């Protein structure tokens, strides 16, 4: 049973499973374990210390809400980010989805620190992922818990459910900042090029392609494989070369003679 669960985990979209797992582990560690929340929240002054605490640019998205949100927030992140990775035509490559996370996350931090305050912004990122995921589903129906609603209204249904469950509207501005950040990304990368005739103002940088590309040399249990230009691999620990079943050391012994 455990092997089946692990197989399903490793078959899941890599960024979705990694981010959802990080949120679940961090949230449980903060709410029930030894992790202090002061290690994770975002504040500008920590970026200018020596050494700079640059991990806070990402760690502020790793704390879910309390109670049932500890499970539901990672689940929704996994669902919507997985859809962007695997089925959304706007993100045909891993680097495109990664660049989306980086830029939208940056917009969320700027909007909140400039106008709203706060130090944890997962709720905003979750709404951004949901908003982007349903943009190509306008006019279709989507399942939201036990109800069917127009797909484009799912982000606002999530805000309403959050208000009803927590009995507090305090998180609504932060959630709305995620929708604004996702819409800003959509405008700069799709609406402006398609309808304004301009270029894509947020193209993915080239270094991301090199970052997510599979390395040419990788280790296997039975040796080292080197990926060639044509995508084929050759074993270096078997002692055999292509086209022959004899080890290389035998080929240096001459042509050989038959006994008798």
């Amino acid at each position: 049973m455990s092997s089946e669960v692990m197989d399903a985990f490793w078959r899941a979209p890599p960024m979705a499973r990694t981010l959802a797992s990080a949120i679940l582990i961090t949230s449980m560690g903060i709410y029930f374990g030894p992790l202090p929340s002061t290690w994770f929240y975002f504040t500008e002054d920590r970026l200018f210390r020596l050494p700079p605490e640059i991990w806070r640019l990402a760690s502020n998205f790793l704390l879910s809400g309390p109670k049932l949100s500890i499970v539901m927030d990672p689940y929704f992140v996994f669902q919507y980010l997985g859809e962007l990775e695997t089925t959304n035509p706007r993100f045909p490559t891993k680097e495109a989805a990664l660049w989306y996370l980086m830029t939208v996350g940056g917009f969320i931090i700027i909007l909140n620190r400039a106008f709203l305050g706060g130090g944890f912004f997962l709720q905003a990122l979750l709404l951004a992922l949901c908003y982007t995921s349903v943009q190509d589903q306008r006019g279709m129906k989507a399942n939201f818990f036990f109800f069917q609603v127009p797909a484009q209204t799912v982000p606002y249904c999530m805000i309403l459910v959050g208000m009803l469950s927590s009995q507090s509207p305090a998180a609504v501005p932060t959630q709305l900042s995620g929708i604004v950040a996702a819409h800003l990304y959509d405008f700069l990368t799709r609406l402006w090029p398609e309808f304004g005739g301009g270029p894509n103002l947020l193209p993915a940088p080239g270094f991301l392609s090199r970052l997510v590309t599979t390395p040419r040399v990788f280790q296997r249990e039975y040796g080292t494989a080197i990926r060639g230009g044509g995508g084929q691999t050759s074993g270096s620990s078997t002692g055999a070369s292509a086209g022959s079943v004899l080890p290389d050391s035998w080929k240096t012994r001459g042509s050989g003679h038959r006994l008798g």
Side-chain angles (χ1 to χ4, degrees), residues 174-250:
T174 299
Q175 292 175 314
L176 289 175
S177 72
I179 296 179
V180 173
H183 183 74
L184 180 58
Y185 176 89
D186 191 45
F187 175 80
L188 296 175
T189 60
R190 184 176 67 88
L191 297 178
W192 174 246
E194 289 185 6
F195 301 102
N200 180 355
L201 299 178
L202 287 176
F207 75 88
L208 288 181
S209 299
R210 296 188 293 271
L211 183 64
V212 302
T213 299
T214 303
R216 293 185 66 251
V217 179
F218 55 96
Q219 296 293 326
R220 300 184 300 195
E221 293 182 358
Y222 49 87
T224 301
I226 302 177
R227 187 180 301 279
Q232 299 178 346
T233 59
S234 59
S236 64
S237 65
T238 60
S241 60
S244 174
V245 298
L246 296 177
D248 291 337
S249 60
W250 286 24

Side-chain angles (χ1 to χ4, degrees), residues 22-149:
I23 293 170
L24 180 62
I25 293 172
T26 301
S27 300
M28 293 184 67
I30 290 177
Y31 288 123
F32 305 112
L35 289 180
S37 61
T38 54
W39 290 358
F40 297 90
Y41 72 89
F42 179 85
T43 181
E44 297 85 358
D45 63 319
R46 299 297 183 98
L47 296 179
F48 299 103
R49 289 187 173 186
L50 292 177
E53 299 178 1
I54 58 175
W55 69 81
R56 294 180 184 271
L57 292 170
S59 64
N60 69 88
F61 296 107
L62 299 182
L63 180 64
S64 70
K67 300 179 181 179
L68 187 59
S69 296
I70 295 177
V71 176
M72 297 305 298
D73 287 350
Y75 169 77
F76 283 124
V77 167
F78 178 83
Q79 176 183 347
Y80 293 121
L81 182 54
E83 290 179 3
L84 297 187
E85 279 190 81
T86 58
T87 62
N88 195 303
R90 293 184 55 196
F91 305 96
T93 61
K94 294 178 182 178
E95 54 265 32
L98 179 59
W99 181 237
Y100 167 85
L101 285 178
M102 294 172 64
T103 53
V104 170
F107 291 154
I108 289 172
I109 291 175
I110 292 172
L111 288 171
N112 279 275
R113 297 302 297 177
F115 302 106
L116 301 174
F120 291 101
F121 309 123
L122 174 60
Q123 298 302 315
L125 180 62
L126 177 55
L127 266 293
L129 291 169
C130 179
Y131 178 88
T132 303
S133 179
V134 301
Q135 284 306 295
D136 295 330
Q137 303 174 14
R138 289 183 175 273
M140 302 173 61
K141 294 291 185 179
N143 291 322
F144 186 74
F145 289 101
F146 305 105
F147 306 97
Q148 279 197 339
V149 298

